[in-house]
């Protein structure tokens, strides 16, 4: 069963395998569609890896949703593509989102 995603993922921070595939998710910046809050969720703090994907929980309204692995991987690929374009244009992608720490 799939849960409708109620988070808009803005940025993903993840560990990569040698071959460039996604190993595990460290943190995401996302926008909660239920309350509009934008927050940074990290492992154990609103972000939990589940067998079918990643479970996100809003720290403000406690809305929780599961993002399926396929969707997450697609967003990650899109982010890499966008970052390459920004880098080529002389823009550091991390400048747009601020530091992770
Ligand atoms: Zn919320």
């Amino acid at each position: 069963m799939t849960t409708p995603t109620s988070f808009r993922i803005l940025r993903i921070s993840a560990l990569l395998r040698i071959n460039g595939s996604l190993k595990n998710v460290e943190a995401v910046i996302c926008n909660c569609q239920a309350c509009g809050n934008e927050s940074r969720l990290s492992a154990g703090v609103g972000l939990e890896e589940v067998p079918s994907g990643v479970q996100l929980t809003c720290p403000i309204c406690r809305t929780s949703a599961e993002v399926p692995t396929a969707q997450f991987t697609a967003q990650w690929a899109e982010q890499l593509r966008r970052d390459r374009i920004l880098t080529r244009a002389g823009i550091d992608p991390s400048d747009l989102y601020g530091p992770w720490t």
Side-chain angles (χ1 to χ4, degrees):
M1 220 173 87
T2 51
T3 321
T5 306
S6 51
F7 289 90
R8 198 162 66 87
I9 295 171
L10 305 173
R11 189 85 183 150
I12 299 168
S13 170
L15 288 177
L16 297 182
R17 293 198 182 87
I18 298 287
N19 68 9
S21 67
L22 209 56
K23 182 163 179 274
N24 57 23
V25 182
E26 291 182 310
V28 297
I29 294 176
C30 61
N31 190 273
C32 172
Q33 307 285 282
C35 73
N37 178 61
E38 187 178 310
S39 49
R40 178 189 184 278
L41 308 176
S42 56
V45 189
L47 185 153
E48 197 185 336
E49 292 202 55
V50 291
S52 56
V54 180
Q55 171 116 28
L56 303 176
T57 305
C58 175
I60 305 298
C61 71
R62 311 308 298 168
T63 291
S64 183
E66 217 172 282
V67 182
T69 306
Q71 187 193 331
F72 211 85
T73 308
Q75 288 213 238
W76 170 250
E78 173 59 25
Q79 179 178 311
L80 290 182
R81 199 185 62 81
R82 212 171 41 220
D83 283 3
R84 268 199 300 273
I85 294 169
L86 288 171
T87 305
R88 223 176 279 154
I91 300 164
D92 182 347
S94 60
D95 285 351
L96 300 177
Y97 302 93
W100 282 99
T101 49

